[in-house]
């Protein structure tokens, strides 16, 4: 960090602040006597770029994570189709002060980008400028000491759509149809809490598909029931720096859509006892396709399984 001077400062959220702080650090180290000679030093300084050792410790000063959120939605129950219900909700969530392990690079960055340099305590709860030292050549030295901080932020924007429709078959029983579709519009994280500095999008990655749909059908008659559920996950991609990775980085970078089926059959023996046999993940989907097998990206590490259940009331 702070090298080479001009490029380093251009990459900062507040270049003038970082330049001033880097210059002050050079002067404090005794390698320059004024801002002009400090800037000259930074212009040619090259960090060693070697692995460094240090320690992590707990932080008793951590605070609860805080979020602000709001949702808006509506429900449609058309009179022309008795029993049909359709609802949609928009979800807006901002989570701040998430607890994150502070990396060395992030600690250095937060120190030199702070308007309160050389003490970031008022911003991060601990002084990150004291978490590392520099040697006589202005290189970062071994022995850094870092901790967990309330520093990160998360943004979530999503839409959830659900529908339900019962079908009365008279003496033949009843069928209940349900579906729920979750559309993830944005999932963005910033380890520093500043999205303009290190915000990373991950909506569309294997762990956060943009579409997740669950549809179920249930038949009931005289205490007997059978239920089937289809779970769908849209195709996803490998991401790099908050964007889908191209073939120059990963020749194979697309995970296929996943279709998972569950089923259950049961009977209410009486008001106090129910017997049920259920099957989860009937198609035995474990990895996210061939790419998931290659990178050990599991959807379900167990796979197909069956369960017999007896529920009794006493």
């Amino acid at each position: 960090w702070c090298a080479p001077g001009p490029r380093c400062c251009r990459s900062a959220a507040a270049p003038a602040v970082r330049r001033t702080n880097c210059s002050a650090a050079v002067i404090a180290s005794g390698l320059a006597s004024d801002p002009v000679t400090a800037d000259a030093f930074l212009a040619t300084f090259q960090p060693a770029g070697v692995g460094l050792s240090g320690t992590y410790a707990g932080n008793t000063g951590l605070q609860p994570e805080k979020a602000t959120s709001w949702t808006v939605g509506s429900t449609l129950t058309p009179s022309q189709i008795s029993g049909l219900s359709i609802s949609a909700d928009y979800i807006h969530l901002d989570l701040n002060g998430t607890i994150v392990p502070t990396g060395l690079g992030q600690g250095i960055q937060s120190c030199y980008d702070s308007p309160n340099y050389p003490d970031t305590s008022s911003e991060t709860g601990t002084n990150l400028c004291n978490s590392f030292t520099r040697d006589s050549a202005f290189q970062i030295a071994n022995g850094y000491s870092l901790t967990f901080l309330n520093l990160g932020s998360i943004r979530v924007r999503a839409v959830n759509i659900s529908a339900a429709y019962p079908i009365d078959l008279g003496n033949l029983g009843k069928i209940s149809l349900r579906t729920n579709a979750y559309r993830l519009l944005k999932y963005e994280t910033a380890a520093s809490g500043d999205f303009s500095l290190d915000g990373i999008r991950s909506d569309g990655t294997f762990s956060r598909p943009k579409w997740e749909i669950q549809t179920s059908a249930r038949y009931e008659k005289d205490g007997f029931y059978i239920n089937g559920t289809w779970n769908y996950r849209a195709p996803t991609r490998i991401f790099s720096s908050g964007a889908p990775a191209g073939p120059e980085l990963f020749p194979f970078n697309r995970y296929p859509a996943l279709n998972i089926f569950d089923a259950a059959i049961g009977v209410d023996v009486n008001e106090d006892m129910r017997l049920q046999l259920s099957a989860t993940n009937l198609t035995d989907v474990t990895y996210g396709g061939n790419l998931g097998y290659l990178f050990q990206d599991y959807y379900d590490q167990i796979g197909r399984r069956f369960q017999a259940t007896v529920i009794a009331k006493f």
Side-chain angles (χ1 to χ4, degrees), residues 232-272:
Y232 169 81
R233 287 164 48 101
T236 54
R237 298 280 296 276
I238 292 179
F239 273 45
S240 175
S241 301
E248 69 280 0
L249 293 177
F250 295 93
F252 303 99
N253 53 39
R254 185 179 176 88
Y255 296 89
L258 298 181
N259 295 276
I260 300 92
F261 298 91
D262 305 324
I265 185 171
V267 61
D268 292 324
V269 179
N270 52 49
E271 293 182 354
D272 298 323

Side-chain angles (χ1 to χ4, degrees), residues 37-277:
T37 53
D39 286 346
F41 172 84
L42 290 170
T44 58
F45 174 72
Q46 294 289 341
V50 297
L52 297 170
S53 61
T55 61
Y56 279 88
N59 184 356
T60 58
L62 290 174
Q63 299 296 318
E65 299 175 343
K66 297 180 180 180
T68 57
S69 65
W70 56 270
T71 60
V72 59
S74 63
T75 301
L76 176 65
T77 55
S79 57
Q80 298 88 344
I81 308 176
S82 178
L84 176 63
S85 175
I86 302 174
S87 63
D89 296 279
Y90 173 75
I91 302 164
H92 185 286
L93 170 68
D94 291 320
L95 180 61
N96 299 309
T98 59
I99 298 173
V100 295
T102 308
L104 177 59
Q106 183 184 350
I108 297 171
Q109 173 182 299
S110 297
C111 170
Y112 290 121
D113 285 349
S114 171
N116 299 310
Y117 174 87
D119 189 347
T120 66
S121 299
S122 61
E123 304 159 61
T124 60
T126 187
N127 187 7
L128 290 174
C129 295
N130 286 341
S131 65
F132 62 93
T133 58
R134 290 184 179 272
D135 61 21
S136 58
F138 205 63
Q139 301 289 350
I140 301 295
N142 281 318
Y144 63 82
S145 178
L146 294 167
T147 185
F148 294 83
L149 297 174
N150 293 104
L151 198 59
S153 294
I154 298 174
R155 287 175 178 167
V156 180
R157 308 289 184 264
V159 174
N160 194 77
I161 304 170
S162 60
Y165 182 52
I167 303 174
D168 190 350
L169 303 177
N171 294 331
L172 297 178
K174 180 177 70 173
I175 294 177
S176 299
L177 304 177
R178 294 182 180 274
T179 190
N180 189 87
Y182 180 75
R183 174 67 163 94
L184 182 60
L185 303 174
K186 175 188 284 189
Y187 194 103
E188 186 175 16
T189 58
S192 69
D194 187 342
F195 292 98
S196 65
L197 187 63
D198 60 355
I200 296 178
R201 294 277 295 267
S202 59
D203 46 284
T205 60
F206 182 74
S207 60
R208 298 187 179 92
K210 290 191 174 184
W211 279 104
E212 292 184 87
I213 301 173
Q214 184 181 79
T215 299
S216 66
R218 179 184 177 94
Y219 171 76
E220 299 176 70
K221 186 181 187 306
D222 299 332
F224 169 82
Y225 63 90
I226 183 169
N227 188 83
T229 303
W230 168 47
N231 300 282
Y232 169 81
R233 287 164 48 101
T236 54
R237 298 280 296 276
I238 292 179
F239 273 45
S240 175
S241 301
E248 69 280 0
L249 293 177
F250 295 93
F252 303 99
N253 53 39
R254 185 179 176 88
Y255 296 89
L258 298 181
N259 295 276
I260 300 92
F261 298 91
D262 305 324
I265 185 171
V267 61
D268 292 324
V269 179
N270 52 49
E271 293 182 354
D272 298 323
M273 179 173 288
R274 168 178 290 184
L275 306 178
Q276 177 175 292
L277 177 64

